[in-house]
Amino acid sequence: MSDAHAPPQTPNLIPKDATEARLEAREAYRFLLAKTYFDCREYDRCAAVFLPGPLPKPATAPATTPATATATAHAHAHAPATNAKQAAKGKSKMFTPTKAKLSNDTTKGISQKSLFLALYAKYIAGEKRMNEDSEMILGPQDGGVTLNKELPIVSAVLEEWFRDLPDSGRQPQGWLEYLYGMVLAKGKNEQLAIDYLVKSVNQYTYNWGAWQELQALLNTTDELNGIVQRLPQNLMTFIFHVTSSQELYVANDQIHTSLSQILAIFPTSAFLKTQRALLHYHNKDFDDAEHIFSDLLTSDPHRVDHLDNYSNILYVMGMRPKLAFLAQLATATDKFRPETCCVVGNYYSLKSEHEKAVMYFRRALTLDRTFLSAWTLMGHEFVEMKNTHAAIESYRRAVDVNRKDYRAWYGLGQTYEVLEMHSYALFYHQRAAALRPYDPKLWMAVGQCFGKVGKVMNGIRAYKRALVAGSYYDAGIGTSFGSGEVTGLGGGVLDPEVLYQIALLYERMQNMAECASYMELVLAQEEGPEYDEAGSEGVGGVGVTPTTSKARLWLARWEYMRGMYQRAMELANELCQDGVEVEDAKALVRDIRARMERAGGDDDAD
């Protein structure tokens, strides 16, 4: 066969050293056996192929008693001269001989690939046992009560291996760094985990699992931009930057341009098209996101990945028939996937069958306890069912899985508002707003909480931030919670509800002039901006709404109190025509007429 027809090889820029090549050749048959056990999900058998004995647990040195001290001194006194130097060197480790023996006799005789497979199998076995011990979702054993008991063992072996690496002369391949990064992340040692994961992707670029673990540890765009300089300058880093930006809810033109450049290389990639759809979804361009997901479903109807996000979009848009079709299709493809359970749960939620929805979200979490969408959506359902304590626990678990999920933070804030614990609600709403600084709904929630706790000026600032954010977004369809509430109006039209709340806060501060100014602004949103300001086509306002009617009633009463009866009469008559607050408006008209007649009678008497 000529080179032109040779199958493409997986690129790997770092050649293996001779020691690794020799060890891998010697272990080839055992590696195939272990890999077969791993594929059959017999993780303990897989690990036992290369690590048959019990692995050491990291233990502290026992307290030294006089008897043990005497025995130790006696043993050292009669030790051979050739071992004296080794005994002195290993003095600090003399209480963990098993660990040293394992490091010297076992791990050094295993290739990195085989050691990774064995330790990773132990890690997965520990995760499996932890999930089994956790029992039911939101049960007494669920949460942080049960732990992966294999983590300390795996961590001890890897720590010893990396400590001996400089003296071993072996060249790292990136796999053990990847596993150690995961173990450190589980132990909340995040900075060291990032360092090892960066080493891993530099040594072997095409391990997407390492990129995903690294992505999960980045909380802000500043952290992302700071770490990009330490990454290999290739296509994988380019893709990582785009997907991480999407996870951090950054959906600007630069990210779309970068994604378009990658799509030019891989035009049929379903993964990249999904990233585009998620960017539109986070930016609340639901029509564009739905169109992309619909095309993906047409081209690959058996692909279940990210169908939970697609079902969220259909839920927000109220497309119940399409959501029902999606639920049937996903169930027919694979009913035991967390994404499928979330799709079905969203369908029942749209039908207001919240108990059934919770059942399916629980089923999704039984399959994968780290499935973020299920925790958040189950929290929403518990809120609908007025089960606030279960909702709080669900949202907390969602935050534990992913601290970047603003919906879980916002859900916690809403739930604490229901419980009238406004200080707690304020904290969680602020966390959500920090993650999504251009979402007006979140700043409105912050402003409302500030008003409830008595920090009026801070509340005014938060509401003004909501106005600025509203000019950034053009939501059009609904909020991320699927409430159908329009928060971004676009075209220079400000949200009248935000303006009205600002006016009420100024009223609480006894600043009536500012309050009246903002009430006038609320009325101005009925017509929208002036023709020349809005452009050649012009933009309509919001029309008459309950909020604008309340502002008109407030202004009518304000003008009445100031003695501006003519202006008050005009506003009250407009209220009668609007059909909102009619009874109050009629009563105000009668009062104004009586006052005007009395004033006219006094003038005649004079």
Side-chain angles (χ1 to χ4, degrees):
M1 182 182 290
S2 64
D3 293 340
H5 299 285
Q9 300 295 319
T10 302
N12 189 359
L13 301 179
I14 301 178
K16 296 178 182 177
D17 59 74
T19 304
E20 290 296 327
R22 185 177 67 254
L23 290 173
E24 288 183 15
R26 190 178 67 185
E27 299 163 354
Y29 297 106
R30 295 169 65 200
F31 182 83
L32 285 175
L33 176 63
K35 185 64 168 61
T36 304
Y37 287 146
F38 187 90
D39 293 339
C40 293
R41 300 187 180 185
E42 298 188 36
Y43 303 115
D44 289 314
R45 291 183 75 186
C46 171
V49 172
F50 293 105
L51 303 173
L55 294 182
K57 295 184 179 180
T60 57
T64 304
T65 61
T68 57
T70 304
T72 304
H74 182 75
H76 278 280
H78 291 81
T82 55
N83 294 334
K85 187 180 293 185
Q86 294 179 1
K89 185 177 180 181
K91 188 173 182 180
S92 61
K93 300 179 184 178
M94 60 186 175
F95 294 110
T96 56
T98 310
K99 185 174 178 181
K101 182 180 179 182
L102 174 87
S103 177
N104 292 330
D105 299 341
T106 308
T107 59
K108 285 189 177 181
I110 302 177
S111 67
Q112 294 182 48
K113 186 167 69 171
S114 300
L115 182 60
F116 167 77
L117 181 61
L119 292 178
Y120 187 61
K122 275 213 163 289
Y123 169 80
I124 296 295
E127 290 288 305
K128 182 181 176 184
R129 279 190 283 270
M130 180 186 71
N131 290 334
E132 290 170 353
D133 294 340
S134 298
E135 299 175 356
M136 64 177 293
I137 301 297
L138 295 181
Q141 299 298 320
D142 194 18
V145 179
T146 56
L147 301 172
N148 185 344
K149 297 178 182 178
E150 302 293 341
L151 280 180
I153 300 172
V154 176
S155 178
V157 174
L158 288 173
E159 183 181 354
E160 187 76 17
W161 195 91
F162 283 113
R163 188 183 299 123
D164 295 338
L165 179 62
D167 299 329
S168 66
R170 298 168 72 173
Q171 185 176 357
Q173 296 179 344
W175 298 103
L176 294 176
E177 286 80 2
Y178 162 56
L179 180 57
Y180 198 32
M182 283 198 298
V183 172
L184 290 169
K186 286 282 186 180
K188 305 300 181 183
N189 194 348
E190 295 182 357
Q191 192 54 52
L192 192 58
I194 289 175
D195 294 339
Y196 273 93
L197 289 169
V198 168
K199 291 179 184 177
S200 175
V201 297
N202 275 284
Q203 288 154 4
Y204 185 74
T205 307
Y206 302 97
N207 178 15
W208 184 243
W211 292 103
Q212 287 180 311
E213 292 292 332
L214 184 59
Q215 179 178 291
L217 295 173
L218 301 177
N219 298 316
T220 63
T221 53
D222 292 336
E223 292 181 11
L224 173 61
N225 295 330
I227 207 172
V228 165
Q229 307 300 324
R230 301 166 55 190
L231 300 176
Q233 301 303 308
N234 55 23
L235 184 62
M236 293 299 293
T237 300
F238 205 39
I239 296 174
F240 167 75
H241 188 269
V242 170
T243 55
S244 298
S245 299
Q246 180 268 122
E247 287 288 329
L248 293 168
Y249 309 110
V250 178
N252 52 33
D253 293 337
Q254 181 183 356
I255 301 301
H256 279 285
T257 303
S258 300
L259 186 55
S260 298
Q261 292 173 354
I262 305 173
L263 276 167
I265 304 173
F266 306 105
T268 60
S269 171
F271 171 76
L272 294 177
K273 290 179 181 178
T274 302
Q275 297 302 309
R276 173 84 76 189
L278 292 176
L279 285 174
H280 288 307
Y281 171 50
H282 295 323
N283 209 27
K284 300 187 179 180
D285 298 329
F286 296 119
D287 285 324
D288 293 337
E290 195 278 329
H291 180 70
I292 294 173
F293 272 120
S294 181
D295 290 344
L296 284 171
L297 196 65
T298 303
S299 61
D300 192 354
H302 302 296
R303 182 176 180 268
V304 184
D305 297 339
H306 292 287
L307 283 189
D308 54 313
N309 297 116
Y310 187 25
S311 68
N312 290 341
I313 294 169
L314 297 177
Y315 181 96
V316 171
M317 298 177 72
M319 302 176 72
R320 180 171 163 180
K322 206 162 190 176
L323 183 56
F325 168 75
L326 185 66
Q328 289 179 340
L329 182 64
T331 304
T333 302
D334 188 351
K335 65 173 66 176
F336 297 109
R337 282 280 294 272
E339 293 89 344
T340 300
C341 297
C342 283
V343 172
V344 179
N346 268 335
Y347 171 69
Y348 281 117
S349 177
L350 194 58
K351 291 177 64 180
S352 297
E353 298 183 22
H354 302 297
E355 291 81 4
K356 284 188 177 180
V358 168
M359 180 184 71
Y360 275 95
F361 293 139
R362 282 181 181 272
R363 187 174 297 177
L365 292 168
T366 302
L367 295 168
D368 183 2
R369 289 177 186 265
T370 63
F371 198 70
L372 176 65
S373 294
W375 284 116
T376 307
L377 293 171
M378 190 164 69
H380 299 347
E381 296 308 306
F382 280 130
V383 169
E384 295 291 336
M385 295 164 63
K386 311 299 182 186
N387 189 346
T388 53
H389 295 291
I392 287 172
E393 186 59 29
S394 298
Y395 288 135
R396 286 192 188 280
R397 293 296 299 275
V399 168
D400 290 340
V401 172
N402 186 356
R403 289 169 297 180
K404 300 186 289 288
D405 183 22
Y406 76 95
R407 289 164 295 191
W409 292 110
Y410 179 69
L412 279 169
Q414 276 197 322
T415 310
Y416 277 110
E417 279 191 78
V418 172
L419 297 174
E420 296 186 356
M421 301 172 70
H422 300 293
S423 296
Y424 286 95
L426 175 61
F427 170 77
Y428 292 119
H429 283 317
Q430 285 178 313
R431 291 295 299 265
L435 289 168
R436 294 265 294 186
Y438 295 108
D439 196 330
K441 175 191 64 176
L442 304 181
W443 286 110
M444 287 176 65
V446 172
Q448 183 178 355
C449 287
F450 271 128
K452 291 289 179 62
V453 299
K455 297 183 178 180
V456 178
M457 202 62 222
N458 289 341
I460 291 173
R461 293 193 191 100
Y463 277 122
K464 289 181 178 179
R465 284 290 299 268
L467 290 176
V468 175
S471 64
Y472 177 83
Y473 267 132
D474 183 15
I477 294 176
T479 66
S480 56
F481 258 57
S483 62
E485 174 189 353
V486 177
T487 56
L489 302 170
V493 180
L494 301 175
D495 191 339
E497 181 62 32
V498 178
L499 295 170
Y500 183 72
Q501 294 299 328
I502 294 174
L504 292 182
L505 290 180
Y506 274 119
E507 184 181 23
R508 286 176 59 181
M509 294 175 64
Q510 304 299 320
N511 191 342
M512 306 307 291
E514 282 293 321
C515 177
S517 299
Y518 275 93
M519 290 294 183
E520 292 285 359
L521 270 176
V522 174
L523 292 188
Q525 306 314 306
E526 288 184 344
E527 303 296 332
E530 295 295 331
Y531 185 83
D532 54 349
E533 294 178 3
S536 58
E537 297 181 359
V539 177
V542 298
V544 177
T545 66
T547 301
T548 59
S549 296
K550 286 188 287 186
R552 183 174 278 108
L553 179 61
W554 189 95
L555 282 172
R557 288 171 174 167
W558 168 246
E559 298 293 355
Y560 172 72
M561 291 171 58
R562 293 171 58 203
M564 308 294 289
Y565 300 127
Q566 191 62 39
R567 169 73 171 152
M569 180 64 77
E570 292 175 2
L571 292 169
N573 286 331
E574 289 174 3
L575 269 175
C576 294
Q577 296 172 4
D578 293 344
V580 184
E581 308 282 356
V582 176
E583 295 302 323
D584 291 336
K586 287 181 178 179
L588 185 58
V589 167
R590 288 193 295 269
D591 291 343
I592 294 171
R593 282 177 179 168
R595 187 64 63 91
M596 291 175 71
E597 290 173 359
R598 189 182 310 161
D602 293 341
D603 291 341
D604 293 341
D606 293 340

